Amino acid sequence: MAKAPLLSCLVLVLLVGILEATPRTPNVQVYSRYPVEKGKENIVNCYVDNFHPPKINITIEKGGKPLKDVKQSDLSFDKTWAFNRLVYANVTPDGEEVACRVEHSTLVDPKVVKWEQE
Ligand SMILES: *[C@@H]1O[C@H](CO)[C@@H](O)[C@H](O)[C@H]1NC(C)=O
């Protein structure tokens, strides 16, 4: 009788271990805070979620060059150990391409997602 709780406890520990160890590739979303207007300062958000392990590089590029003044939220995770992070920067759209570049161990090449300015 006393075996059952012990067993389910063991199963839980194993399950958490598996979830924690499974690499997951980041999902990337790029969007602005305000409607896009050429020449008007905006905030571009790059929200990256559902990744594991937590080691990640996220940069926002404009015209192919990384922006220096980029802020980021703390790394946080949900109950399945998937991590997420928001990176954002002030950007004034002027026709140059703006994109979010993500480097993660599950990606062979960096994942580059363009900001749709249309
Ligand atoms: C993040 O960037 C640093 C420096 O360029 C690099 O050494 C590291 O491997 C990168 N991390 C990932 C997860 O790609």
Side-chain angles (χ1 to χ4, degrees):
M1 274 304 269
K3 262 187 184 165
L6 191 67
L7 200 66
S8 52
C9 186
L10 190 69
V11 166
L12 191 71
V13 167
L14 281 175
L15 204 65
V16 168
I18 290 167
L19 283 173
E20 199 180 347
T22 308
R24 260 168 292 172
T25 199
N27 177 46
V28 183
Q29 289 171 74
V30 183
Y31 52 95
S32 57
R33 177 163 310 171
Y34 310 110
V36 182
E37 222 178 293
K38 207 167 175 177
K40 200 166 170 206
E41 190 175 71
N42 208 325
I43 296 169
V44 174
N45 295 303
C46 178
Y47 181 68
V48 183
D49 70 348
N50 200 35
F51 59 89
H52 193 95
K55 255 190 99 174
I56 200 159
N57 291 334
I58 306 169
T59 49
I60 297 177
E61 300 175 332
K62 185 167 180 289
K65 279 180 275 172
L67 292 176
K68 289 207 183 75
D69 201 12
V70 171
K71 296 173 207 75
Q72 62 179 26
S73 71
D74 288 337
L75 195 65
S76 63
F77 58 90
D78 66 18
K79 53 188 180 303
T80 67
W81 288 97
F83 287 85
N84 60 76
R85 167 169 272 171
L86 175 71
V87 173
Y88 55 99
N90 289 342
V91 176
T92 304
D94 59 5
E96 270 191 324
E97 189 176 291
V98 176
C100 179
R101 171 184 287 263
V102 177
E103 291 175 358
H104 190 253
S105 59
T106 58
L107 298 168
V108 179
D109 294 314
K111 195 168 188 168
V112 180
V113 178
K114 269 192 237 169
W115 176 36
E116 296 300 340
Q117 299 182 34
E118 298 311 313

